[in-house]
Amino acid sequence: KTEYSIASTTQLVDATTRAWSPEILEAFGLPGRLLPEIAASGTVLGQLSPGLCQELECAPVKVIAVAGHDTQCAVVSIPAPHERFLFVSSGTWTLFGTETDSPLLDERPCALNVTNEGGYGGKVTFLKNIVGLWLIQECRRQWAREGKNYSFTDLTNLARGAEDMHCFIDPDDPDFVAPGNMPRKIRAYCRRTGQVVPNTDGEIARCVYESLALKYRVALGEIEACTGIRYPRLHVVGGGALDSFLCQLTASACGRQVVAGPIEATVLGNVIVQMVTLGVMSDIDSARRVIAESYPLATYEPEDGSEWDLAYERWRKIRETA
C-alpha cells in the first residue's frame, strides 16, 4: 500500500475522490495495476516480521502508515489545538500554508500556484512551496570556500548589524535555484534591477532574510485570498524556528504574531500519528495540546508596520523589473 499524503504529491490522485485518477492515468498511458492501494494516514499495515524482530532484538510491533510526506507529519504537530492556523515549515525550503477540510480547486489557487496535498485525518494541506534557507546555506558554502567559516549565528549577527531595507531579491527567481556562487548571484540580481548592490557579507545576508520575510507576506495574502479566512498568527516549525532574526522579520513583514516551535516537528508528527492510532492519545487536538504544553515556544510580535508596508511596495516593483 501507499499512504495518502505521499500519494497525493504524485499528481496522479484525484483531489476529490482521493483515489488514483483514471483520467490522468489514461492521459499518460499508465496502467492502474502498477499502483498500490492508497491507505489513510494512521492505517495499521501489519506487524513487523519475525526476521526483523530477531535482527533488531525487539518484541513484535505494529507497522503504522504515518503521513509519508514529511511536511504533513510536521503539520500534525502544529501546537494549535481547536484553531485555524497558518504554518511555515521552515528549512532548506519553506512550505507555507494551512489545513483545510476539503481541497480548494477553483481557478484562483491554480493561478497562484497553491497546491492541495493530502494530510492526516482526511484533512488537506493547502500550501505554497517557497525557496527557504537554501539561499543562506549556499552563501555560507561560498564564503567557506573563500576561507570565511561562518556559523549560522555569525551570519545572523552580521545581518543584524547591516543596514535595513537596503536591497531585495525575489527568493524564487530562477537564478537562485541552482547551487553556485550565491553572493555573486544576489549582487547580479540587485545590479540588474537598479538597486544598491550589497558589498559586505552582512548586507547580503540581510538582503536574503528581509526578502524571505517579504515573500512570506505574499504567500500569506494569497492563502487568505483563497480561503477567505484571516489568520491571527503564523506557526513556524522546523529548523527555521531557531532563527529568531528571521522569525521577527516574518512577524513584522506579515503584520502577524509568529509562534516558533517545535523544531523537530516532523519527528513529533510521526510519533503523534502512531500514538493516536494505538489509542495512547485520543485525537489530534489533544496531541497538539500536549505539544503546546511540552515544548518551549517563542513568540514574536510585529514591529515597524509602516516601514514594512513601504518596503513591500518597493519589493513588488523590483520583482516586476527583474
Side-chain angles (χ1 to χ4, degrees), residues 106-218:
D106 56 42
E107 293 180 358
R108 177 173 280 179
C110 183
L112 296 174
N113 198 26
V114 188
T115 183
N116 294 276
E117 294 185 1
Y120 174 72
K123 299 287 187 177
V124 172
T125 305
F126 187 66
L127 62 83
K128 282 188 72 79
N129 290 271
I130 303 170
V131 170
L133 293 172
W134 160 258
L135 299 167
I136 287 291
Q137 293 163 358
E138 277 295 286
C139 284
R140 182 169 176 257
R141 277 187 275 270
Q142 177 59 35
W143 288 324
R145 287 191 284 266
E146 298 170 2
K148 296 178 283 190
N149 294 305
Y150 296 129
S151 68
F152 287 110
T153 301
D154 292 334
L155 292 178
T156 298
N157 290 334
L158 287 172
R160 287 182 190 274
E163 182 182 349
D164 65 341
M165 314 295 183
H166 194 60
C167 53
F168 305 115
I169 60 172
D170 180 356
D172 283 330
D173 189 273
D175 286 355
F176 305 129
V177 174
N181 189 326
M182 194 62 71
R184 179 190 296 164
K185 294 178 182 181
I186 290 169
R187 290 191 183 98
Y189 182 99
C190 292
R191 190 177 297 112
R192 186 173 75 244
T193 52
Q195 301 182 78
V196 175
V197 177
N199 290 315
T200 69
D201 299 344
E203 288 172 351
I204 290 172
R206 181 126 196 168
C207 172
V208 170
Y209 280 121
E210 290 181 342
S211 299
L212 281 173
L214 289 167
K215 192 73 178 184
Y216 297 163
R217 176 170 173 155
V218 172

Side-chain angles (χ1 to χ4, degrees), residues 204-317:
I204 290 172
R206 181 126 196 168
C207 172
V208 170
Y209 280 121
E210 290 181 342
S211 299
L212 281 173
L214 289 167
K215 192 73 178 184
Y216 297 163
R217 176 170 173 155
V218 172
L220 168 67
E222 292 175 348
I223 297 291
E224 289 189 336
C226 291
T227 62
I229 298 170
R230 187 186 188 279
Y231 302 88
R233 64 187 56 84
L234 308 179
H235 286 268
V236 177
V237 297
L242 286 170
D243 196 324
S244 60
F245 185 55
L246 179 57
C247 288
Q248 182 59 64
L249 293 178
T250 299
S252 298
C254 295
R256 305 296 163 82
Q257 184 186 75
V258 164
V259 178
I263 298 162
E264 297 296 344
T266 295
V267 174
L268 290 171
N270 182 311
V271 173
I272 285 171
V273 171
Q274 296 184 64
M275 294 178 79
V276 172
T277 300
L278 296 173
V280 178
M281 289 185 172
S282 58
D283 55 34
I284 185 81
D285 281 332
S286 62
R288 284 173 169 162
R289 187 166 54 251
V290 169
I291 294 292
E293 295 171 353
S294 302
Y295 287 85
L297 305 175
T299 302
Y300 302 85
E301 300 294 342
E303 299 174 353
D304 307 318
S306 59
E307 292 184 23
W308 280 98
D309 290 342
L310 293 172
Y312 179 64
E313 292 306 315
R314 273 181 55 208
W315 182 73
R316 286 180 59 189
K317 292 176 182 177

